[in-house]
Amino acid sequence: MTDQYFYPNIWGRSILTSAEEILGARGINALLNLVGLSDYIGNFPPDDIQKAFPFSHVAKLQQGLYDMYGSKGARVFAIRGGEETFQHSLNKYDKVQKAAQAAMSIGSTETRVKLGLNFFSKFFNAVSDQVVRIDEDDKNWYWIIEHCPMCWERKADEPVCHLGVGVLNAASQWATGGKKFRIQETSCTAMGDEDCIYTISKQFVD
Ligand SMILES: [Zn+2]
């Protein structure tokens, strides 16, 4: 099967690097062997922004975490991976970081989160083949992913796109100077839903 959608190399690299930090060298090698991606052993993708890391590889790594560590373990590791991927990306896309900071320098927490979500959705849509749109109601914002890389061609009976929770955790904390939000994946393509949807409560935790 040929791949048609890609993440930038740097995101693939960040996912692997953060997994290696958590699992150790032996753990990451075991994971890569398990999911049939042993070509990456000692050979992570380059630290560049070329769109060349297939969605199917993102999904296989997430599935592998699930197979090795179960639902809870996979969740913990993937959320941490998402946080690190976000941080690493900010450092790499330095101009984006400055533009985002300028866009969010004014207004209430709610305004800043809204500006941040819009900004990052456009950014993600520009640098990867993931398509994100934003919606909101009185209580929540919704981060909606069409053709999601994390559950690409996966089937599950619970939401599995935990990496995205980590990315959104890190993004919302960064946008608001450290405030914590309740973020949950509430619809998931792997469960048969049309899109993967993250619900972000407008009530921040502290
Ligand atoms: Zn998904």
Side-chain angles (χ1 to χ4, degrees):
M1 183 134 178
T2 46
D3 288 292
Q4 57 181 144
Y5 298 123
F6 298 90
Y7 260 1
N9 276 329
I10 178 185
W11 290 1
R13 185 182 177 85
S14 290
I15 291 167
L16 290 169
T17 305
S18 62
E20 185 177 36
E21 277 168 20
I22 299 164
L23 309 176
R26 285 176 58 182
I28 184 78
N29 291 354
L31 174 66
L32 288 168
N33 278 320
L34 177 73
V35 299
L37 295 175
S38 55
D39 285 355
Y40 289 126
I41 292 177
N43 181 39
F44 287 178
D47 194 8
D48 66 33
I49 59 174
Q50 199 194 331
K51 277 194 254 181
F53 196 80
F55 278 19
S56 63
H57 293 189
V58 179
K60 279 181 183 170
L61 290 167
Q62 303 305 301
Q63 177 72 48
L65 286 175
Y66 183 88
D67 292 342
M68 283 172 74
Y69 301 102
S71 175
K72 271 196 188 147
R75 190 162 182 275
V76 170
F77 293 151
I79 288 175
R80 196 165 139 195
E83 287 168 353
E84 290 187 13
T85 299
F86 178 81
Q87 274 309 327
H88 187 189
S89 299
L90 271 190
N91 300 337
K92 187 76 182 173
Y93 296 92
D94 190 42
K95 280 187 190 146
V96 173
Q97 168 155 222
K98 293 202 172 100
Q101 269 167 341
M104 296 181 299
S105 60
I106 44 165
S108 64
T109 296
E110 185 166 335
T111 308
R112 284 165 67 177
V113 172
K114 185 171 177 164
L115 287 169
L117 289 173
N118 276 300
F119 186 95
F120 282 115
S121 64
K122 285 184 193 142
F123 167 63
F124 288 158
N125 292 348
V127 303
S128 84
D129 291 326
Q130 179 174 290
V131 176
V132 177
R133 63 180 199 276
I134 307 294
D135 201 356
E136 69 175 307
D137 56 26
D138 287 349
K139 288 196 171 137
N140 303 303
W141 291 284
Y142 301 95
W143 176 271
I144 303 161
I145 304 181
E146 298 167 28
H147 54 79
C148 168
M150 294 164 274
C151 62
W152 188 249
E153 294 176 336
R154 291 179 63 188
K155 291 261 178 293
D157 50 17
E158 60 184 353
V160 292
C161 304
H162 310 304
L163 190 72
V165 174
V167 170
L168 290 171
N169 271 344
S172 57
Q173 286 191 36
W174 178 82
T176 57
K179 289 189 167 57
K180 285 191 178 138
F181 294 79
R182 214 174 301 112
I183 302 172
Q184 278 183 302
E185 193 190 10
T186 46
S187 299
C188 185
T189 308
M191 300 194 311
D193 296 320
E194 187 170 345
D195 298 313
C196 292
I197 303 177
Y198 298 90
T199 301
I200 304 164
S201 171
K202 291 187 174 179
Q203 201 80 46
F204 55 84
V205 180
D206 55 35

